[in-house]
Amino acid sequence: MPEKSGPRPSEPRPGEEQPRSIRLTDPRALRAYAHPLRLTLVGLLRSNGPFTATRAAALTGESVASCSYHLRILAKYGLVEEAPGGHGRQKPWRATAQYTEWPEYSEDPAVAEAADALSAAVAERYFERFTRAMENRRGIPKEWREAEQLGDSLLHLTPGELADLGKRIEELLRPYEERENDRSLRPEGARPVSIMRIAYLDQDVPADEKE
């Protein structure tokens, strides 16, 4: 299950390219990441990092102590790390990767339960952000309102076809990812756009009895 929490990653280490994704398989890490504030902090570090716990508190409205605690928990599971510079309580943090991934399926009940809980938490966060964007869209220009997309399609697919469709969508989006770290590739007028990909087995629609 891939997830992206922000439009760009934090600055990579000098001389190193930041990993595209980090994969969580430990149920403890999955449960830790499902916390709403931790999801928010990772997303902010990817879009606005590196920053200190003090800055995190200003961005989230939480206390410095709370942000510092949750950043340390995220660091414990490899989702964030200390960035160069700063000292004491003013040490900056950065995200360790641009994406977070976790298992879509696991034979281990503990992993499966934790992964499903994380997926639900991420979906809730997605829709909170989407709803907020819809509530505030009156203030955006006409061309952006007309370009935004909202809709759904009911398709009859096999598991293999659905997986293949996901790969094709990924390939379609991948070229635009290069613009995240290289501003020179962004055409004039380009702005951050969040694209959510959701495809699920619709159990509200009766399946054909014939297989």
Side-chain angles (χ1 to χ4, degrees), residues 120-164:
V122 169
E124 183 176 355
R125 183 172 182 272
Y126 282 161
F127 284 104
E128 285 177 354
R129 295 175 60 193
F130 176 67
T131 300
R132 187 163 58 248
M134 292 298 99
E135 291 172 347
N136 298 326
R137 70 190 302 263
R138 288 187 178 182
I140 68 175
K142 174 178 177 289
E143 60 269 24
W144 280 106
R145 288 183 62 130
E146 292 179 341
E148 288 182 334
Q149 301 178 35
L150 174 63
D152 70 305
S153 299
L154 180 62
L155 308 176
H156 289 77
L157 306 171
T158 66
E161 288 174 330
L162 180 56
D164 180 64

Side-chain angles (χ1 to χ4, degrees), residues 36-47:
L37 180 55
R38 293 170 194 163
L39 287 168
T40 297
L41 287 170
V42 172
L44 287 171
L45 282 170
R46 288 171 175 168
S47 61

Side-chain angles (χ1 to χ4, degrees), residues 22-95:
I22 179 172
R23 185 170 179 82
L24 304 180
T25 56
D26 185 333
R28 293 171 298 179
L30 294 165
R31 289 192 295 268
Y33 189 40
H35 189 284
L37 180 55
R38 293 170 194 163
L39 287 168
T40 297
L41 287 170
V42 172
L44 287 171
L45 282 170
R46 288 171 175 168
S47 61
N48 298 285
F51 53 66
T52 65
T54 300
R55 178 57 178 162
L59 291 170
T60 63
E62 300 288 335
S63 69
V64 175
S66 177
C67 288
S68 179
Y69 168 76
H70 288 293
L71 285 166
R72 291 197 302 271
I73 295 296
L74 290 167
K76 176 180 178 180
Y77 294 108
L79 288 155
V80 307
E81 64 186 1
E82 292 185 24
H87 59 278
R89 294 186 177 181
Q90 295 306 311
K91 61 185 178 184
W93 296 86
R94 63 185 174 192

